[in-house]
Amino acid sequence: MPTLRERIEGALWGLLIGDAVGVPYEFKLPQALPPLDQLELVPPKGFPRSHHGVPPGTWSDDGAQALCLLASLLTQGRMDLDDLGRRLTNWHELGYLTPDGVVFDVGIQTHRALSRLREGTPAAEAGPAQELDNGNGSLMRVLPLALWHTGDDATLVRDARTQSLVTHGHLRSQLACALYVLWVRRLLEEVERPWEAAVATLRRMFPEGTSERAELEQHLQPDLLEQGRGSGYVADSLRSSRWAFSQGPYETAIKSAISLGVDTDTTAAIAGGAAGARDGLSAIPARWREGLRGEEEFRPLLEALLRHRGL
């Protein structure tokens, strides 16, 4: 079984590689994708890949925002929403924590939120919070909290919800982030049935009659395991990623996530973070690890994270 160090390494590498493998297939419908065994960092010859000018092995906004969160946590020693907002703005404007200093994929809702930040809106109020403002932009970056956090479950949930506010303020997005980090924490702890354990924890925190419990049961539907559609809707992203995770070890999980089409990089990033936490770094194919660009950007953060965890 992988050690805790190997699981933490696998989770961060897993998110970044899942993102990078998914990038060339983004926006494609499932029927337009190559066969499962041909889903690679470099698509088959003749496939009309998305983001054509982006070199294979490059992570997108998913990976960059996750690294922004990790850098903020390591520097500030706490969940500092204003600092995270500044780092996200630096990513958006300057290409901070990207392999090439180039930003090529920005969600509509995130763009709106960062524009509000630049106009002076406080970070805690920048994220749109209406019913239709439930994209997956805060879910795709929240993984580092589960890797960095050593506090209790209630504090982890609070911080996961807080980090969502800067771009995605709706309660549904907040709770999707909370459920995901609890799931990854249970994976790192090697508990039996980690998803179910995470759901049980969230239910204890938010009893029947609370708005949080209603959102959890009605919209996130945590007891339902189904394929999902690979869309950018936060509840579907969580559902799709969990389904992909359930299909097998890391490589199978990534290819299953991409096979759903549409938001392939994000589904694969979310599934990849969880699968890496379960399987460890050595389970990630060497060809993908060798093909990932930008290691000089994330390696110092990973090493600092391991030191923080005493590993």
Side-chain angles (χ1 to χ4, degrees):
M1 296 294 291
T3 64
L4 177 60
R5 178 190 177 97
E6 291 165 342
R7 291 176 187 274
I8 289 175
E9 290 176 313
L12 188 62
W13 276 89
L15 181 152
L16 295 171
I17 288 175
D19 182 7
V21 177
V23 161
Y25 309 101
E26 192 179 15
F27 312 125
K28 309 293 185 184
L29 295 176
Q31 58 268 30
L33 294 173
L36 212 64
D37 63 350
Q38 296 182 31
L39 295 174
E40 290 289 342
L41 278 170
V42 180
K45 186 177 181 180
F47 178 77
R49 64 188 182 94
S50 302
H51 309 296
H52 186 73
V54 175
T58 303
W59 66 74
S60 71
D61 55 337
D62 307 62
Q65 289 191 40
L67 294 176
C68 284
L69 176 57
L70 179 56
S72 181
L73 292 168
L74 291 168
T75 302
Q76 301 301 113
R78 61 187 176 88
M79 182 63 248
D80 184 328
L81 198 59
D82 291 323
D83 183 74
L84 176 60
R86 286 190 290 271
R87 291 176 190 272
L88 292 176
T89 300
N90 286 341
W91 156 72
H92 191 216
E93 294 182 345
L94 305 173
Y96 172 59
L97 293 176
T98 65
D100 299 303
V102 176
V103 176
F104 62 89
D105 193 13
V106 184
I108 294 172
Q109 188 173 334
T110 296
H111 189 279
R112 286 169 54 203
L114 296 182
S115 295
R116 294 173 68 176
L117 265 181
R118 285 191 291 269
E119 293 165 359
T121 302
E125 301 170 14
Q130 300 303 308
E131 175 79 17
L132 295 179
D133 297 323
N134 274 305
N136 54 22
S138 60
L139 176 60
M140 71 188 191
R141 69 169 178 258
V142 73
L143 172 76
L145 258 178
L147 310 181
W148 171 89
H149 217 288
T150 56
D152 60 22
D153 289 342
T155 308
L156 176 62
V157 165
R158 182 199 67 196
D159 287 349
R161 294 181 61 178
T162 297
Q163 70 82 36
S164 185
L165 296 177
V166 68
T167 56
H168 294 71
H170 195 275
L171 180 58
R172 193 171 310 156
S173 292
Q174 296 178 42
L175 290 176
C177 292
L179 179 52
Y180 182 74
V181 295
L182 284 171
W183 181 30
V184 173
R185 171 171 275 190
R186 298 298 178 260
L187 286 166
L188 295 175
E189 293 170 343
E190 302 180 56
V191 305
E192 273 194 81
R193 301 175 65 83
W195 174 268
E196 290 78 5
V199 171
T201 298
L202 210 54
R203 283 175 171 153
R204 286 194 297 272
M205 288 183 187
F206 303 115
E208 294 283 355
T210 62
S211 55
E212 288 88 351
R213 184 62 171 268
E215 280 285 347
L216 175 68
E217 307 296 354
Q218 295 172 21
H219 296 284
L220 298 184
Q221 297 179 292
D223 298 323
L224 179 66
L225 178 59
E226 64 176 17
Q227 183 169 313
R229 302 184 306 278
S231 76
Y233 169 47
V234 69
D236 183 52
S237 286
L238 187 58
R239 187 175 302 121
S240 297
S241 302
R242 182 186 169 216
W243 172 83
F245 171 92
S246 75
Q247 297 306 292
Y250 182 85
E251 181 175 347
T252 301
I254 294 304
K255 292 187 174 184
S256 298
I258 294 169
S259 75
L260 299 176
V262 193
D263 203 357
T264 51
D265 58 331
T266 299
T267 309
I270 298 168
R278 175 191 63 193
D279 300 338
L281 180 60
S282 63
I284 300 175
R287 69 185 187 279
W288 286 358
R289 282 182 276 146
E290 292 163 3
L292 183 66
R293 304 176 66 244
E295 186 172 349
E296 68 279 0
E297 293 291 341
F298 74 84
R299 172 64 69 178
L301 294 173
L302 177 56
E303 291 175 352
L305 171 62
L306 294 170
R307 289 194 298 272
H308 166 73
R309 293 299 303 262
L311 302 171

